[in-house]
Amino acid sequence: MSVQQAFPGAPALPGTEALQRSAPGQLGRELDRMLASLNGPQRQAVVHEGGPLLIVAGAGSGKTRVLAHRIAYLLGARGTQPGEILAITFTNKAAGEMKERVATLVGPRARAMWVSTFHSMCVRILRAEAGKLGMKSSFTIYDQGDSVRLMTMVARDLDLDAKRYPGRSLAAQVSNLKNELIDEEAYVPGTAPEKVLAEAYKLYQQRLRQAHAMDFDDLIMTTVHLLQAFPDVAEHYRRRFRHVLVDEYQDTNHAQYVLVRELVGTGTGPVPPAELCVVGDADQSIYAFRGATIRNIDEFERDYPQATTILLEQNYRSTQRILRAANQVISKNTGRRPKNLWTDAGDGELIEGYVAENEHDEAAWVAEQIDALVDEGTVKPKDIAVFYRTNNASRVFEEVFIRVGMPYKVVGGVRFYERKEVRDALAYLKVVANPADVVSLRRVINTPKRGIGERAEACIENFADRERIAFANALRRCSEVGELATRSLKAIQEFVALLEEFEQLVETGSGPAALLESILDRTGYLAELQASTDPQDEGRVDNLNELISVAAEFEAASPGGTVTDFLEQVSLVADADQIPVAGDDAGVVTMMTLHTAKGLEFPVVFLTGLEDGVFPHLRALGDPRELEEERRLAYVGITRAQQRLFISRATVRTSWGQPAYNPPSRFLDELPGDTVQWAGKEPAPAPSTGYRSAQQRVAATGLSTGGLRGGAGNRAVIAVDVGDRVSHDAFGLGTVVEVSGAGDKAQATVDFGSGGTKRLVLRYAPLVKL
DNA sequence: GTCTACGAAGGCTAG
DNA sequence: CTTCGTAGAC
C-alpha cells in the first residue's frame, strides 16, 4: 500500500469557475465539512489522484459514502466535468441513490454523469453504436426465460434428445461461455457433448440475430467485442470517461473485468488511461454461480501494477458482538486477505438463537420476536428484515405473518416481471416494437387461445423456411401457404390484423401505457381473465393493472420514451430495486434472500434456516469451494445487522414434499460461543419434550395459528423403499437395502458403499431421499 | 386440430 | 410443490 498524501486541509478549487460563480466560497466550505466527516482511510480514498485505486471495503465501512464523496470531490475540487464520470453500481436503485447524493452536493449538473449498472451501461452503448454491429438500435433484450425458450427451439431444430440436452442446460452453458468472452466462433469443442453445444451455440446466435435480440450475457460480451473491434469507438468512450468507478468489484465476471479494462484503456493510444477506482470486498463475493470471480479483486494489483490499495476496516453499522461473530465465521475461509472489522459502537446485545421443531415453528418464533420488539416500541417493522437462503422459504413466513397481521413485503421471489400474465403482455409489446422477435411472437400467437395451434404454426414455419423469409413475414403472407385449414387461416389473418392495429397505434404516437391497454382489451386477454372463475386470475388482473401503472409512470418520468425504452427499463430491473423506500411511517417487515440483502442494512435481522442442506445449501456440501461461497453468504447475512441479530434453524423441515431432518448448520459451530444466547434450550439435534414450541405459544397468546400444517403432533417420517438412493450427511450416498418398522419406529438398512452398511432410525437419521 | 387433464420430472442464488 | 410434456377428449 502506498503512502498517501495527507489530507490537504482546505483544498483549492481548480477549474470549477462556473460553480464558484454561482456559489462563491460555499462549495469550498461544503467540501471541507465533507472531508472532515470521513476517517483517515476514507479521506485518502476520496482525494486519491492518479493511478488505479482499489478500495477494500469491509462490510459497513461506509464504501457507498466514500464513492459518493469521491465523485463529489472530483466535481467540486478537481475540476472534473460530470460527463467525464462513469460509475457502475450493482443495482439501478443504488445508481439512483448515488446520483441523488451527488446532486445534493453539486446540484443538477450531476445529471450528465453516467451512473448505472453494467447491463444498463452496455445497452446504452450498444443502442448508440448498433449500426456498427449491423443491428437495429431497437433490438430486444432477452431475459433468461426467453433465452431458454429460444434454446429449446434450437435444440428441437437440431433434433437433440431433450433429455440429454435440455434447453435450460444448453442456455446455461452458453451463458458461461459468454461470461468468459468466448463467442460461437471462438469456441473450440473437445468432447462429443461439447460439439453438440457448439452446434446449438451457433444456431442460437443466428436466431438471436434474426430476431434482432440480445440476451443478458450478449450485452456485456458484445460491448467488449465492439470496443475491441472498433478502436475509434473505444477511443470515443475513453476520451469521454476520464473517471471510471466500479462498485461491488468482487462480483464482476471475466467479461465485466475486460470491459472495465477496455473502457479505462492502457494509454498506448492517443488517450491516456482513465482514473480507475474500484470498491469491493472479497469476503462478500457471492455470485460465483454467474461467473463472478474473486480473482478480479485479489489480483487487482497485478492487473494494474501502479495500483494503490486502501483498506477500510472501521465499521459504522454493527455492534462489536455482531462483528466478532462475522469475523470468526469468515476466518474459516482459506486463502483470504486477512481483515478485521472493528467498531467503537460497543458490544451490544447477544445474538439470539432458536431451535425450532419445524419451519412453521421457526416462522412463528420470528413473528413472535418481531411482535415483542415492535411492542417494546424501540423498533418499527421497517427496521426489520428476515433473510433466507432460497426464495421458496418465504412462503411459510408469509403464512404466519398474514395470520398474525404483521405487515411485510417479500422482495424478489416469483418476480413481478416473471409472472405469466406480465410476460404475455410484455411479449405483445416486444412484438410490436420488434416484429422480428420470434420468441415473443410465438409466445403470443395463440395467447389467449384463438385457434392457431401447433399444426398451423408448423405450416407457417415451413413456409418461412421455403421462402427464406422471416416468421413474421410468413404470417403476413399466410394466404399463400396453401396447406393451412381455412379455419386456421382465418385465425391467423385476424391475428395479423390485430398486430397491424397495434403498430398503427405506435405510429400515431401512443405511448406504452395506451398501447398496453389497447392490447389487453383488443386481444380479449383481460376479458378472459375477468370472466374466469379461477381465484388466481383475479390477482392476474391486478398485476396487469399494475403493469399499466408502471407504464404510465414511465411515461410521466421520461416524456417521449418509446416502447423500446420502456421494455429496456423493465428488463433490467433487479430484485433489490424493489426494496420499499424508508418513509416516516412504521413501514413493513422486509423479507428477501441473502443474495438480495447484499449492500443493505437493517437494525434488526433474522437469519433463518441455519441447517446443513439448507444453508449451506445441499449442493454446496460436497464442494469446499462452494462451501466457502456459502460462508461468505453467511458473512454477508450477519453483517447486515446493525443492532440485533436473531438466528434460527428447524429440526425438521418439509422439502420437496418430504420431511428432512437437517443437522445444524456448520456455520453455527463457527460462531464464538459467547456471542449467542440460545432460546428455550441448547442447540441439540433432537427436539426435547416438555417445552412449548413457538407455534404453541403463538396459539396460546391468541395469535391464532389456524391450520398450520406439519405441527408437532403430526410428525412425518421420511419414506424410503428398498432400492431408493439416499444421501446421509455423514455417510454420503447410499442405497436402501432393507426397510422395517413403521411410523416413528421405521428403520432402514442402507448400503453406503465404502462407507459401510448402516441401520438407521428414519425418525432421526439426517437422510435425504434422492 | 385444438384444448384440457393428468403424470412425470426437476428443484438455488440473479441482471 | 411447481412446471413441463404428452396423452386422450371435444
Side-chain angles (χ1 to χ4, degrees):
Chain A
M1 193 186 301
S2 72
V3 178
Q4 291 298 300
Q5 176 195 353
F7 168 45
L13 299 173
T16 49
E17 294 85 358
L19 259 171
Q20 282 176 312
R21 264 200 308 279
S22 63
Q26 202 187 322
L27 186 63
R29 283 200 300 277
E30 191 66 42
L31 282 169
D32 284 349
R33 204 166 51 236
M34 178 189 102
L35 288 172
S37 72
L38 302 171
N39 68 31
Q42 288 179 333
R43 200 178 303 128
Q44 281 177 22
V46 167
V47 304
H48 171 86
E49 260 179 67
L53 175 65
L54 166 65
I55 305 172
V56 176
S61 59
K63 79 184 158 91
T64 310
R65 226 171 136 236
V66 167
L67 269 181
H69 280 70
R70 179 169 169 87
I71 294 173
Y73 186 84
L74 288 173
L75 296 172
R78 289 183 54 196
T80 306
Q81 292 304 309
E84 295 176 328
I85 290 177
L86 169 64
I88 301 168
T89 58
F90 198 64
T91 63
N92 296 300
K93 189 168 185 259
E97 283 171 4
M98 179 83 65
K99 256 188 152 160
E100 214 168 284
R101 279 172 101 147
V102 177
T104 59
L105 286 158
V106 304
R109 64 191 199 118
R111 265 197 299 245
M113 301 188 302
W114 276 32
V115 187
S116 66
T117 62
F118 270 107
H119 290 87
S120 305
M121 173 190 78
C122 288
V123 170
R124 206 162 160 185
I125 293 177
L126 289 170
R127 290 223 196 277
E129 314 290 339
K132 287 241 171 15
L133 298 162
M135 303 250 339
K136 290 194 297 187
S137 71
S138 63
F139 62 83
T140 298
I141 299 165
Y142 277 3
D143 64 21
Q144 192 178 314
D146 297 323
S147 304
V148 169
R149 206 160 297 117
L150 178 60
M151 189 56 98
T152 308
M153 281 156 64
V154 163
R156 206 176 297 144
D157 288 350
L158 289 175
D159 282 323
L160 298 182
D161 177 5
K163 290 258 155 46
R164 279 183 61 195
Y165 300 101
R168 205 186 142 79
S169 151
L170 289 170
Q173 292 178 77
V174 164
S175 168
N176 290 339
L177 288 171
K178 289 180 178 176
N179 287 337
E180 292 297 321
L181 290 176
I182 302 168
D183 64 21
E184 79 275 23
E185 303 293 329
Y187 180 49
V188 183
T191 63
E194 283 175 359
K195 292 202 171 88
V196 172
L197 174 62
E199 284 285 297
Y201 192 179
K202 284 210 174 82
L203 189 54
Y204 173 81
Q205 288 306 112
Q206 196 186 320
R207 293 284 162 84
L208 276 179
R209 276 192 298 272
Q210 284 168 353
H212 292 289
M214 294 208 195
D215 66 25
F216 272 133
D217 308 294
D218 277 334
L219 297 177
I220 313 283
M221 181 174 78
T222 310
T223 307
V224 170
H225 287 161
L226 173 82
L227 296 176
Q228 289 174 340
F230 299 93
D232 53 319
V233 175
E235 196 186 311
H236 168 259
Y237 288 100
R238 285 176 197 156
R239 273 191 204 286
R240 166 156 190 180
F241 298 123
R242 302 312 302 146
H243 289 272
V244 177
L245 300 96
V246 186
D247 195 9
E248 309 285 10
Y249 193 68
Q250 77 283 352
D251 286 325
T252 52
N253 59 35
H254 179 70
Q256 292 164 333
Y257 157 78
V258 176
L259 178 59
V260 169
R261 222 179 50 193
E262 293 297 336
L263 284 169
V264 168
T266 54
T268 48
V271 190
E275 255 185 57
L276 174 65
C277 168
V278 308
V279 188
D281 177 2
D283 289 336
Q284 293 185 63
S285 166
I286 54 174
Y287 283 106
F289 69 87
R290 63 177 205 211
T293 158
I294 308 189
R295 185 225 157 262
N296 291 348
I297 198 160
D298 284 345
E299 310 266 305
F300 186 81
E301 285 133 325
R302 191 187 301 181
D303 296 334
Y304 299 93
Q306 308 298 311
T308 302
T309 301
I310 293 173
L311 199 60
L312 304 181
E313 286 182 304
Q314 181 172 3
N315 174 292
Y316 294 95
R317 177 185 296 157
S318 310
T319 66
Q320 186 62 46
R321 189 145 6 220
I322 290 167
L323 293 182
R324 211 146 56 78
N327 282 332
Q328 181 83 21
V329 169
I330 199 64
S331 71
K332 304 287 188 235
N333 271 5
T334 55
R336 57 185 279 279
R337 190 193 298 238
K339 181 153 37 76
N340 198 35
L341 289 181
W342 62 275
T343 177
D344 51 20
D347 266 355
E349 300 193 51
L350 283 166
I351 297 168
E352 287 193 43
Y354 179 70
V355 183
E357 277 185 21
N358 53 51
E359 69 269 32
H360 304 284
D361 183 34
E362 180 183 44
W365 175 76
V366 170
E368 194 183 47
Q369 297 302 311
I370 293 176
D371 203 45
L373 285 167
V374 173
D375 275 354
E376 277 173 29
T378 46
V379 291
K380 296 174 177 152
K382 69 171 175 188
D383 299 325
I384 301 166
V386 180
F387 300 155
Y388 33 79
R389 176 65 178 79
T390 59
N391 275 309
N392 58 8
S394 71
R395 229 191 74 235
V396 186
F397 289 104
E398 285 190 75
E399 283 171 7
V400 174
F401 280 35
I402 288 170
R403 206 160 280 133
V404 303
M406 179 71 64
Y408 71 89
K409 172 163 170 80
V410 176
V411 179
V414 185
R415 287 183 286 286
F416 180 71
Y417 293 108
E418 280 171 21
R419 299 200 152 112
K420 183 188 176 300
E421 63 278 13
V422 175
R423 297 198 56 127
D424 287 341
L426 291 175
Y428 271 104
L429 287 187
K430 286 184 184 175
V431 169
V432 174
N434 174 14
D437 179 353
V438 206
V439 172
S440 300
L441 181 56
R442 295 179 81 150
R443 180 184 181 102
V444 299
I445 193 167
N446 202 27
T447 318
K449 301 272 178 276
R450 51 171 71 90
I452 308 175
E454 208 180 314
R455 179 69 205 269
E457 220 183 304
C459 287
I460 297 289
E461 196 179 8
N462 280 335
F463 179 70
D465 283 350
R466 260 202 326 271
E467 299 284 314
R468 299 185 178 283
I469 55 172
F471 189 84
N473 292 334
L475 264 191
R476 272 153 228 260
R477 287 168 56 186
C478 57
S479 57
E480 300 168 37
V481 173
E483 50 199 340
L484 277 171
T486 330
R487 226 176 120 115
S488 310
L489 182 64
K490 198 159 165 279
I492 293 173
Q493 282 168 335
E494 276 169 25
F495 177 62
V496 169
L498 215 46
L499 288 185
E500 280 167 357
E501 188 183 323
F502 298 144
E503 279 157 23
Q504 203 67 44
L505 269 178
V506 175
E507 275 164 33
T508 54
S510 284
L515 177 61
L516 206 47
E517 279 186 272
S518 169
I519 285 170
L520 293 176
D521 172 43
R522 298 285 293 126
T523 58
Y525 197 104
L526 200 57
E528 189 182 85
L529 287 181
Q530 280 164 341
S532 161
T533 51
D534 187 340
Q536 269 202 317
D537 288 339
E538 225 172 285
R540 298 210 163 103
V541 173
D542 293 344
N543 288 334
L544 290 172
N545 280 325
E546 172 72 21
L547 184 63
I548 293 173
S549 307
V550 173
E553 272 170 44
F554 166 82
E555 284 180 25
S558 39
T562 64
V563 174
T564 304
D565 295 336
F566 174 64
L567 287 170
E568 172 186 323
Q569 182 188 294
V570 153
S571 25
L572 297 178
V573 289
D575 276 356
D577 291 335
Q578 12 158 345
I579 289 155
V581 271
D584 293 332
D585 54 347
V588 299
V589 175
T590 314
M591 302 194 224
M592 67 187 95
T593 65
L594 284 151
H595 282 88
T596 306
K598 200 184 58 150
L600 305 174
E601 57 184 15
F602 294 88
V604 180
V605 163
F606 287 83
L607 203 50
T608 65
L610 281 156
E611 299 138 42
D612 267 19
V614 175
F615 184 28
H617 194 270
L618 188 65
R619 303 254 308 239
L621 289 180
D623 183 337
R625 285 180 45 147
E626 285 193 44
L627 211 47
E628 295 212 336
E629 173 128 333
E630 298 282 317
R631 191 173 283 112
R632 289 193 290 270
L633 203 48
Y635 176 75
V636 167
I638 294 168
T639 53
R640 299 309 96 194
Q642 296 173 312
Q643 304 298 325
R644 304 288 303 273
L645 177 63
F646 295 80
I647 56 180
S648 60
R649 70 174 176 93
T651 309
V652 59
R653 177 181 300 271
T654 309
S655 52
W656 314 335
Q658 296 243 333
Y661 288 81
N662 297 315
S665 171
R666 57 197 68 195
F667 302 148
L668 291 175
D669 296 332
E670 297 168 3
L671 293 167
D674 59 338
T675 58
V676 189
Q677 168 189 314
W678 289 92
K681 60 194 174 60
E682 288 303 302
S688 59
T689 52
Y691 86 104
R692 296 172 81 194
S693 68
Q695 203 177 320
Q696 291 164 320
R697 290 194 306 277
V698 166
T701 51
L703 299 168
S704 160
T705 55
L708 281 180
R709 287 156 296 136
N714 181 25
R715 220 167 255 132
V717 172
I718 182 171
V720 293
D721 282 319
V722 172
D724 282 345
R725 295 282 289 158
V726 294
S727 170
H728 187 279
D729 190 58
F731 305 132
L733 292 178
T735 308
V736 177
V737 293
E738 192 191 337
V739 180
S740 63
D744 282 1
K745 293 191 186 72
Q747 295 185 353
T749 309
V750 181
D751 181 3
F752 288 103
S754 56
T757 300
K758 308 278 179 195
R759 192 168 184 79
L760 303 164
V761 180
L762 293 175
R763 169 73 179 72
Y764 293 110
L767 209 58
V768 179
K769 196 170 150 186
L770 299 176

